[in-house]
């Protein structure tokens, strides 16, 4: 209710709190952010933060944040993409990677964007996806339809499927 009163969706609030654009928030970042929006009940806030950290690694993804707050957002990607993105998030957690770090790993030539071929090779190594699955995921990420994914497009997909 507090976030809605401030005119923010759960994803908007999450993105504002993720000032470093890592794709994950720590409990401390969320606590500071929620306090800015007037949530100050220490007991309730502590319980809320603990419920968000489903993996016990102090890395809260957008989906965990939105779910713990009981918010709903419009699905901007399909179920298949959600599954693939969930697998990518699990991979990132395992390797303790941020969204920009994964982006850099996939951006083989360091050009600042991920081409279709780079994406295909990178995801084949990480998730063992078929070419059709890679194309499907790439299309959902490529907001400007230029055949490449820049860091902003890459970050946005991780914070829109909650």
């Amino acid at each position: 209710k507090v976030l809605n009163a401030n005119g923010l969706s759960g994803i908007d609030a999450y993105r504002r709190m993720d000032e470093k654009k890592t794709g994950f928030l720590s409990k401390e970042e969320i606590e500071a952010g929620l306090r800015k929006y007037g949530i100050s009940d220490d007991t309730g806030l502590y319980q809320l933060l603990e419920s968000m950290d489903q993996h016990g690694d102090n890395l809260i993804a957008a989906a965990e944040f939105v779910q713990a707050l009981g918010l709903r957002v419009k699905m901007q990607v399909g179920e298949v993409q959600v599954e693939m993105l969930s697998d990518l998030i699990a991979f990132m957690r395992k390797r303790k990677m941020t969204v920009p770090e994964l982006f850099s790993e996939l951006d083989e030539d360091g050009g600042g964007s991920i081409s279709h071929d780079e994406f295909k090779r990178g995801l084949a190594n990480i998730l063992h996806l078929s070419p059709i699955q890679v194309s499907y995921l790439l299309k959902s990420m490529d907001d400007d339809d230029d055949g490449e994914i820049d860091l902003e497009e890459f970050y946005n997909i991780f914070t829109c499927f909650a």
Side-chain angles (χ1 to χ4, degrees), residues 24-54:
F24 293 100
L25 291 173
S26 68
K27 288 187 268 187
E28 295 77 19
E29 288 172 311
I30 292 172
E31 179 179 7
L34 291 177
R35 288 188 188 282
K36 284 181 188 176
Y37 295 114
I39 299 173
S40 59
D41 171 19
D42 287 337
T43 304
L45 185 56
Y46 177 78
Q47 291 172 342
L48 178 65
L49 291 170
E50 289 303 309
S51 73
M52 285 182 187
D53 190 11
Q54 297 171 7

Side-chain angles (χ1 to χ4, degrees), residues 10-161:
I11 293 304
D12 290 335
Y14 185 90
R15 287 179 177 164
R16 286 189 183 182
M17 289 180 206
D18 188 11
E19 293 174 359
K20 297 175 189 170
K21 302 292 183 217
T22 63
F24 293 100
L25 291 173
S26 68
K27 288 187 268 187
E28 295 77 19
E29 288 172 311
I30 292 172
E31 179 179 7
L34 291 177
R35 288 188 188 282
K36 284 181 188 176
Y37 295 114
I39 299 173
S40 59
D41 171 19
D42 287 337
T43 304
L45 185 56
Y46 177 78
Q47 291 172 342
L48 178 65
L49 291 170
E50 289 303 309
S51 73
M52 285 182 187
D53 190 11
Q54 297 171 7
H55 297 88
D57 57 5
N58 198 30
L59 297 173
I60 292 99
E64 294 168 321
F65 178 82
V66 170
Q67 182 181 16
L69 291 176
L71 301 171
R72 292 190 176 155
V73 296
K74 294 177 184 174
M75 291 297 287
Q76 296 180 18
V77 295
E79 285 182 41
V80 172
Q81 291 127 317
V82 169
E83 185 177 325
M84 288 184 276
L85 288 166
S86 295
D87 290 345
L88 271 175
I89 288 173
F91 171 82
M92 290 166 54
R93 280 184 192 282
K94 187 176 180 180
R95 295 196 43 203
K96 298 187 186 308
M97 295 178 87
T98 64
V99 169
E101 289 168 340
L102 178 60
F103 180 87
S104 291
E105 187 170 305
L106 295 173
D107 181 15
E108 296 169 351
D109 65 6
S113 64
I114 302 168
S115 69
H116 184 86
D117 288 336
E118 288 173 323
F119 196 68
K120 183 174 153 184
R121 282 189 298 274
L123 289 187
N125 292 333
I126 294 170
L127 298 179
H128 311 292
L129 299 177
S130 73
I132 292 172
Q133 290 172 310
V134 171
S135 293
Y136 191 58
L137 189 56
L138 179 70
K139 186 173 178 140
S140 68
M141 290 181 163
D142 188 11
D143 292 336
D144 58 9
D145 292 322
D146 65 354
E148 299 208 351
I149 302 166
D150 62 34
L151 181 56
E152 183 178 345
E153 290 171 321
F154 196 70
Y155 174 78
N156 286 343
I157 197 73
F158 283 92
T159 59
C160 80
F161 81 98

